[in-house]
Amino acid sequence: MIKNLEQNNEITVIKNAHKPSLVMLIVLTLISIGPSGNLFLEITDGDYSRVFLLSLMSLPLLIFIGVIWTRYFYQMGKYKQELEDYMRDPSDYEW
């Protein structure tokens, strides 16, 4: 019983310590997609005065969005693999 509680506590520690945050990722995505949305609105309204500036801002930010989402999925895969390794043999797990 005590060993089971210790194992559950260790699993909770692993889950809380290493799980990537989705909230920060969503906030960064919403902030970074702003100039692209504004570019789209400027083009649809027919106002081309700031199109060049918005284009220069949008491209790097869209690349940034792709990078942070790719990094998130990579970290999530590592996180799931780490949990599987721990669940397979907790005594053999290296902290």
Side-chain angles (χ1 to χ4, degrees), residues 9-35:
N9 187 25
E10 290 174 356
I11 291 172
T12 305
V13 168
I14 291 172
K15 285 183 179 181
N16 290 338
H18 299 290
K19 188 169 185 180
S21 172
L22 187 61
V23 174
M24 190 61 161
L25 186 67
I26 291 173
V27 169
L28 280 173
T29 301
L30 290 175
I31 290 170
S32 299
I33 204 127

Side-chain angles (χ1 to χ4, degrees), residues 7-63:
Q7 183 179 5
N8 286 339
N9 187 25
E10 290 174 356
I11 291 172
T12 305
V13 168
I14 291 172
K15 285 183 179 181
N16 290 338
H18 299 290
K19 188 169 185 180
S21 172
L22 187 61
V23 174
M24 190 61 161
L25 186 67
I26 291 173
V27 169
L28 280 173
T29 301
L30 290 175
I31 290 170
S32 299
I33 204 127
S36 299
N38 200 2
L39 174 66
F40 177 72
L41 289 175
E42 293 279 332
I43 291 173
T44 56
D45 287 344
D47 183 16
Y48 300 108
S49 61
R50 298 186 316 162
V51 170
F52 182 69
L53 175 64
L54 289 172
S55 298
L56 288 177
M57 290 173 56
S58 296
L59 183 63
L61 288 173
L62 290 175
I63 292 170

Side-chain angles (χ1 to χ4, degrees), residues 76-93:
M76 203 57 171
K78 278 179 44 177
Y79 167 74
K80 288 179 181 180
Q81 182 64 39
E82 188 174 348
L83 280 180
E84 288 174 7
D85 290 345
Y86 178 78
M87 295 302 283
R88 199 171 312 124
D89 190 11
S91 62
D92 222 13
Y93 185 76

